[in-house]
């Protein structure tokens, strides 16, 4: 097979013949001259020529794409001239205005911008009225009312596939470049705290949309919109990959750091920037879809949807905020471990709040102001709810990790619990975001009240500890109650009789909870019959006190929950003052 020049062999007075061309010559040996053999070889020759031509023109599409676009653009300009002279004008200016609206901040419009916007609308309205008045005058003109748009340029539509492929390749390359050059920081004084890569990406997308909408508004524009979807999903993946990850591997598992996320102050700022950038992309992608739906042909308008892309960015926001909470949880690890190392069983007196409480306060005081200044109120509220739902149960479970707790130790721990609750309640003020403080305060109080109730049970006398446990922690389990007896320092032989009475009084509780094991979080169990409900029946077995007696003792424990002195500590033991013996009698003889 060979390509050679063809020309006519005749006399001519010009340098080149007008009909000169390049020809494709193919030679092949045919050994047999039967009809079937010749037919077979001709078919093979045509297949080879067909593949050659397809390959050749495919290469021409890639190499001559710019000339192809220029030809299409000139054709469209010619159609616009025809429409302007004989038809109904052009829409290019309106399309440009729609595209320019993408990504603009609605809350940053000045009064002059709003005035210009409505001046444009008024001018367009007046122009349409003038067109209606002049319409009857122009109806007699040749071509009046005929739509010239796409009459020629539509022939290019099936051949724009390569154009879409090149646009996607260019957008992906620009995306990689933007991410590589991203500093993951925001200029000081910036109002939106959005990464520059996200804003630059939408500027590039706007230019691509403007170029394509100038060429076609049909299938090719819809294909480009699907390219925009893929590019934005790829950017969401890039943001997701930038979030700090937990430790993995053998070393992390051996050191107890498997799955834990360590975050520095800079990491926390970067996470906030990612949240803001994902929110910006979520909003702007919706505006992009609205603009494309207005520009594209009506048959494709219903298919223009960015909900999947917006879901991707919503997932990035959620993961980022959860990562912030996990980072603070990792910072709390040292303080929680310090809490379990305190000798609560040998504590001689109640003093100021413990050192681990001061450590928690320092961590929050260092991180919260920056987070409050960078996150929007709605996302900061989400972060607070996640933080409260994490710290409260974790503090409760951490009490079970401690060793023996004496009455003085439990009272000191009550003081620390009140201090931690106060620190958590002051977070909205520390962040200068108090819009949702009321609901958050109720949430914190409810979560931390469980730890307070646990400590009140530990402080209760041995003969009424089961009744107090049922009254204050009605969803408790036998395994958890057994761990409380261990924290009180009771021997195994003394525990058995109390456990028997407890099990008789709560027959519905049969599944042991993992909460009794230190360091393992309990799964929620169905609420058993409460102490108050059981005591309404005088014949109930396993109770050593009446309903009024239990409620009186629980009230006494509540009044003494925040006490720090010896005299207030007497309120916790007023239920035992009538006893003639026992460890509490000497308190009343002093």
């Amino acid at each position: 097979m060979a390509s050679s020049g063809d020309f006519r062999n005749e006399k001519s007075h010009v340098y080149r013949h007008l009909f000169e061309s390049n020809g494709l010559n193919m030679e092949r040996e045919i050994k047999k001259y039967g009809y079937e053999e010749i037919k077979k070889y001709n078919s093979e020759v045509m297949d080879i020529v067909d593949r050659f031509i397809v390959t050749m023109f495919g290469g021409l599409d890639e190499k001559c794409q710019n000339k192809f676009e220029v030809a299409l653009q000139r054709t469209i300009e010619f159609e616009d001239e025809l429409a302007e002279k004989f038809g109904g004008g052009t829409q290019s200016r309106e399309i440009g205005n729609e595209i320019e609206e993408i990504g603009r901040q609605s809350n940053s419009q000045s009064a002059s911008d709003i005035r210009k916007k409505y001046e444009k609308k008024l001018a367009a309205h007046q122009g349409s009225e003038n067109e209606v008045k002049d319409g009857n005058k122009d109806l007699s003109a040749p071509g009046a009312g005929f739509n010239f748009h796409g009459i020629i340029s539509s022939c290019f539509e099936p051949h724009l596939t390569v154009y879409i492929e090149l646009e996607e390749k260019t957008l992906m390359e620009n995306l990689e470049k933007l991410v590589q050059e991203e500093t993951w920081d925001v200029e000081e004084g910036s109002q939106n705290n959005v990464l520059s890569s996200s804003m630059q990406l939408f500027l590039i997308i706007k230019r691509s949309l403007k170029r394509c909408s100038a060429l076609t508004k049909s299938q090719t524009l819809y294909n480009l919109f699907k390219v925009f979807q893929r590019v934005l999903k790829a950017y969401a993946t890039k943001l997701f990959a930038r979030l700090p990850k937990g430790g993995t591997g053998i070393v992390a598992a051996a050191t107890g750091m498997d799955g834990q996320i360590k975050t520095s102050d800079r990491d926390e700022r970067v996470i906030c920037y990612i949240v803001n950038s994902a929110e910006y992309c979520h909003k702007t992608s919706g505006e992009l879809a609205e603009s494309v739906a207005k520009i594209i042909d009506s048959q494709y308008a219903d298919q223009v949807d960015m909900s999947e892309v917006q879901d991707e960015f919503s997932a990035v926001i959620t993961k980022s905020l959860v990562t912030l909470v996990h980072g603070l949880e990792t910072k709390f690890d040292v303080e929680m471990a310090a809490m379990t190392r305190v000798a609560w069983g040998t504590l001689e007196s109640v003093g100021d709040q413990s050192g681990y409480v001061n450590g928690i306060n320092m961590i929050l005081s260092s991180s919260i102001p920056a987070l409050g200044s960078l996150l929007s109120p709605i996302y900061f509220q989400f972060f607070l709810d996640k933080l409260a739902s994490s710290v409260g149960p974790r503090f409760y479970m951490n009490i079970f990790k401690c060793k023996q707790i004496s009455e003085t130790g439990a009272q000191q721990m009550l003081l620390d619990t009140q201090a931690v609750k106060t620190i958590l309640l002051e977070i909205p003020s520390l962040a200068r975001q108090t819009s949702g403080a009321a609901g958050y305060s109720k949430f914190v109080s409810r979560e931390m009240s469980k730890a307070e109730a646990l400590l009140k049970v530990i402080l209760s006398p041995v003969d009424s500890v089961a009744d107090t446990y049922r009254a204050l922690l009605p969803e408790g389990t036998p395994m958890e109650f057994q761990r409380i007896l261990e924290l009180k320092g009771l021997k195994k032989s003394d525990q058995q009789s109390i456990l028997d009475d407890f099990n008789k009084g709560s027959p519905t509780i049969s599944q042991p909870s993992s909460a009794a094991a230190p360091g393992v979080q309990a799964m929620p169990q169905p609420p058993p019959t409460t102490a108050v409900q059981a005591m309404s029946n005088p014949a109930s077995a396993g109770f050593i006190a009446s309903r009024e007696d239990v409620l009186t003792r629980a009230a006494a424990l509540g009044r003494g929950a925040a006490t720090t002195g010896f005299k207030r500590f007497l309120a916790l033991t007023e239920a035992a003052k009538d006893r003639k013996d026992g460890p509490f009698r000497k308190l009343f003889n002093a």
Side-chain angles (χ1 to χ4, degrees):
M1 181 181 292
S3 177
S4 61
D6 296 329
F7 60 92
R8 187 170 53 190
N9 186 13
E10 64 180 14
K11 292 182 180 181
S12 177
H13 299 286
V14 295
Y15 179 73
R16 295 174 63 90
H17 291 290
L18 295 178
F19 78 109
E20 282 183 358
S21 62
N22 289 327
L24 183 64
N25 301 319
M26 183 174 181
E27 296 180 0
R28 181 163 182 169
E29 179 185 7
I30 301 177
K31 295 181 179 180
K32 297 180 181 180
Y33 296 92
Y35 173 77
E36 294 297 332
E37 287 78 7
I38 295 175
K39 183 179 178 181
K40 175 183 178 182
Y41 285 120
N42 285 344
S43 177
E44 293 178 357
V45 170
M46 293 304 297
D47 289 341
I48 294 173
V49 173
D50 180 46
R51 291 195 297 270
F52 175 79
I53 292 175
V54 170
T55 304
M56 180 177 65
F57 280 99
L60 289 176
D61 285 341
E62 295 180 0
K63 295 180 180 178
C64 303
Q65 183 64 35
N66 292 335
K67 294 182 179 180
F68 187 81
E69 293 177 19
V70 171
L72 177 56
Q73 183 62 43
R74 289 180 178 176
T75 303
I76 293 174
E77 291 173 359
F78 175 67
E79 292 175 347
D80 288 341
E81 291 176 2
L82 291 176
E84 191 172 353
K85 187 173 183 178
F86 303 104
T90 179
Q91 300 176 345
S92 59
R93 185 174 302 174
E94 297 176 5
I95 293 172
N97 293 336
E98 291 289 347
I99 297 174
E100 289 301 324
E101 292 296 324
I102 299 174
R104 288 188 175 180
Q105 297 290 337
S106 59
N107 56 359
S108 62
Q109 287 184 335
S110 61
S112 60
D113 294 334
I114 298 175
R115 184 173 61 253
K116 290 179 181 178
K117 175 182 177 181
Y118 284 96
E119 286 177 354
K120 289 180 180 178
K121 287 188 176 182
L122 179 60
H125 178 68
Q126 292 176 348
S128 62
E129 289 181 352
N130 295 333
E131 290 178 1
V132 171
K133 292 178 181 179
D134 298 338
N136 297 329
K137 192 189 304 179
D138 298 335
L139 286 176
S140 59
F146 186 81
N147 183 16
F148 290 93
H149 294 289
I151 190 173
I152 305 174
S153 59
S154 60
C155 299
F156 290 80
E157 192 74 29
H159 307 283
L160 290 173
T161 305
V162 178
Y163 168 76
I164 296 299
E165 294 174 354
L166 291 177
E167 283 290 325
E168 182 170 9
K169 180 181 178 182
T170 303
L171 287 171
M172 288 297 185
E173 290 175 350
N174 288 327
L175 173 60
E176 292 293 335
K177 183 178 179 182
L178 289 173
V179 174
Q180 290 176 2
E181 296 177 353
E182 180 62 71
T183 60
W184 303 101
D185 202 354
V186 175
E187 295 181 0
E188 188 175 355
S190 177
Q191 296 181 352
N192 52 14
N193 294 316
V194 175
L195 295 171
S196 61
S197 59
S198 59
M199 294 184 288
Q200 292 295 325
L201 178 61
F202 275 98
L203 287 176
I204 295 173
I205 289 176
K206 285 168 59 177
R207 297 191 193 105
S208 177
L209 176 59
K210 202 168 186 179
R211 287 194 302 268
C212 185
S213 61
L215 300 176
T216 175
K217 304 172 189 64
S218 188
Q219 180 68 45
T220 302
L221 181 58
Y222 178 68
N223 292 340
L224 183 64
F225 176 76
K226 292 193 288 187
V227 169
F228 294 158
Q229 289 179 321
R230 292 193 290 270
V231 171
L232 291 173
K233 287 181 179 180
Y235 184 63
T237 303
K238 299 289 185 183
L239 294 179
F240 192 89
R242 184 58 179 81
L243 295 173
K245 301 295 188 299
T248 56
I250 299 176
V251 177
T255 56
M257 299 298 292
D258 190 16
Q260 292 183 334
I261 299 176
K262 288 187 176 181
T263 55
S264 61
D265 293 342
R266 170 173 168 75
D267 290 334
E268 292 175 351
R269 291 196 302 272
V270 170
I271 293 173
C272 293
Y273 297 148
I274 291 176
V275 170
N276 296 333
S277 300
E279 181 184 15
Y280 170 81
C281 293
H282 182 282
K283 176 183 177 183
T284 311
S285 60
E287 296 174 355
L288 174 63
E290 293 176 1
S291 299
V292 174
K294 294 177 181 178
I295 295 170
I296 201 168
D297 290 346
S298 57
Q299 58 181 333
Y300 299 101
D302 294 337
Q303 304 177 42
V304 176
D305 184 24
M306 276 286 184
S307 58
E308 292 185 2
V309 174
Q310 291 177 319
D311 290 342
E312 293 282 340
F313 286 111
S314 297
V316 172
I317 293 173
T318 302
K319 179 63 177 179
S320 300
L321 296 174
V322 172
T323 301
L324 275 179
V325 176
H326 288 171
L328 285 177
E329 286 180 345
T330 302
K331 291 182 178 181
F332 291 153
D333 285 346
V334 176
E335 311 307 329
M336 291 296 180
M339 174 182 173
T340 60
R341 290 195 297 267
V342 176
W344 301 106
T346 59
L347 205 64
E348 296 180 355
S349 62
V350 177
D352 295 332
Q353 61 189 32
S354 303
Y356 70 91
V357 178
N358 296 329
I360 294 175
N361 188 26
M362 289 180 62
I363 292 171
L364 295 176
S365 299
S366 174
S367 300
I368 293 301
L371 301 182
S373 63
L374 294 177
L375 293 177
S376 62
I378 184 173
Y379 294 127
F380 186 76
Q381 184 63 41
F382 179 87
F383 162 76
L384 285 185
D385 292 341
K386 290 291 183 181
L387 181 65
S389 62
S390 169
V391 174
R394 187 180 184 187
F395 191 88
Y396 177 87
M397 296 303 303
N398 211 51
I399 296 176
F400 288 100
K401 295 181 181 180
C402 299
K403 298 180 181 179
Q404 182 179 346
I405 303 175
S406 64
E407 287 85 356
T408 305
Q411 193 175 18
Q412 177 65 54
M413 200 176 289
L414 265 174
L415 174 65
D416 295 342
T417 304
Q418 289 287 336
V420 172
K421 183 168 75 171
T422 302
I423 293 171
L424 294 177
L425 292 175
E426 290 177 352
I427 288 180
S429 300
L430 188 63
R432 297 182 179 180
Q433 292 201 23
T434 57
S435 56
Y440 167 75
S441 299
K442 293 180 181 178
F443 191 74
V444 170
S445 299
R446 183 176 70 249
E447 292 297 325
M448 295 302 295
S449 65
K450 298 176 183 178
E452 295 175 351
L454 174 60
L455 294 170
K456 294 173 186 177
V457 173
I458 296 175
L459 279 167
S460 62
V462 176
D463 58 353
S464 60
V465 62
D467 301 328
T468 307
Y469 181 70
R470 292 192 190 93
L472 299 182
L473 295 172
E475 296 184 1
T477 61
M479 294 295 292
E480 187 178 271
F481 179 67
Q482 183 178 3
R483 177 58 185 159
I484 291 176
L485 298 181
E486 294 175 357
L487 291 176
K488 290 177 67 67
L490 295 178
K491 298 179 180 180
K492 292 290 184 181
S493 57
D494 298 332
Q495 295 178 19
Q496 193 57 46
S497 59
I498 300 176
L499 288 172
D500 293 340
D501 293 338
F502 178 80
N503 292 329
K504 291 179 182 178
S506 54
T508 58
I509 304 178
S510 58
Q511 297 296 329
S513 171
S514 58
V520 181
Q521 187 171 357
M523 296 297 293
Q525 299 291 337
T529 305
T530 62
V532 174
Q533 294 171 338
M535 287 181 221
S536 60
N537 184 6
S540 298
F543 289 89
I544 60 174
S546 64
R547 177 175 182 272
E548 292 76 10
D549 189 14
V550 172
L551 295 179
T552 300
R553 298 183 185 189
L557 292 171
R559 288 196 300 270
T563 58
T564 57
F566 179 75
K567 291 183 178 180
R568 292 188 179 182
F569 177 71
L570 297 181
L572 300 173
T573 56
E574 66 179 3
K577 63 184 178 179
D578 296 328
R579 296 184 58 177
K580 297 181 180 181
D581 55 358
F584 296 96
R585 183 59 185 172
K586 59 182 180 181
L587 297 176
F588 301 97
N589 294 333

